[in-house]
Amino acid sequence: PEIQEEIYRRDDRLLTFLKDVYVESRDPPVRVKDGGGEHLPCKQEEKRLTKLGHLGDLDVKKVPKGKISIVEALTLLNNHKLRPQIWTAEKIAVEYSLELKEVNSLLEFFIPFAVQEFPKETKKAI
């Protein structure tokens, strides 16, 4: 209770100090670059619809050209793993609007997981 009284008590000396404070704030002057009066339109990213298959509800519907979604990446990696002679890097690049160099890097460095189940008789040995 004593602390509450101290908090709510008015202190005239502090109020006079507060009245003497004056704050003035100014923004720095804005510098405008001379663009010659040209108004260039904003570059809009060209987008494409994704190729999702049965996992369509899990992923985005549109991606910028030159990029792929997570579901598409997993799909194309799996397709290449299962049928590399059909799903070549060139075909993937054309199909998904990607650069061939990026597709080659993707196929080289990213490998989808393979789930293996051990037969029951081998589980005891492990």
Side-chain angles (χ1 to χ4, degrees):
E2 297 169 3
I3 296 173
Q4 289 292 340
E5 288 176 19
E6 192 70 28
I7 290 173
Y8 291 114
R9 190 181 52 126
R10 182 177 174 141
D11 192 346
D12 290 331
R13 192 187 80 169
L14 291 177
L15 283 174
T16 56
F17 288 150
L18 241 168
K19 289 178 184 176
D20 292 340
V21 174
Y22 176 74
V23 177
E24 186 175 314
S25 176
R26 293 189 192 135
D27 289 332
V30 179
R31 295 183 183 181
V32 179
K33 293 182 181 179
D34 185 21
E38 293 181 25
H39 294 286
L40 298 175
C42 294
K43 182 181 177 185
Q44 298 232 342
E45 280 189 12
E46 195 173 337
K47 298 200 177 222
R48 65 172 180 81
L49 292 174
T50 54
K51 304 170 189 332
L52 299 174
H54 66 283
L55 298 172
D57 297 336
L58 301 176
D59 207 16
V60 295
K61 306 296 182 231
K62 290 184 179 180
V63 293
K65 284 199 173 183
K67 300 191 186 288
I68 55 175
S69 68
I70 298 291
V71 172
E72 285 180 320
L74 293 173
T75 303
L76 75 87
L77 287 170
N78 192 42
N79 287 345
H80 178 73
K81 181 181 175 185
L82 296 175
R83 291 179 232 98
Q85 58 276 28
I86 296 173
W87 286 95
T88 61
E90 293 81 15
K91 181 176 179 182
I92 292 171
V94 171
E95 188 77 22
Y96 291 94
S97 303
L98 300 170
E99 290 186 24
L100 183 59
K101 182 179 82 170
E102 293 173 352
V103 173
N104 285 328
S105 296
L106 182 72
L107 295 176
E108 181 181 351
F109 296 112
F110 290 93
I111 301 165
F113 290 107
V115 177
Q116 296 180 354
E117 287 190 32
F118 294 105
K120 291 186 178 184
E121 59 272 357
T122 349
K123 284 185 180 178
K124 292 178 184 175
I126 295 176

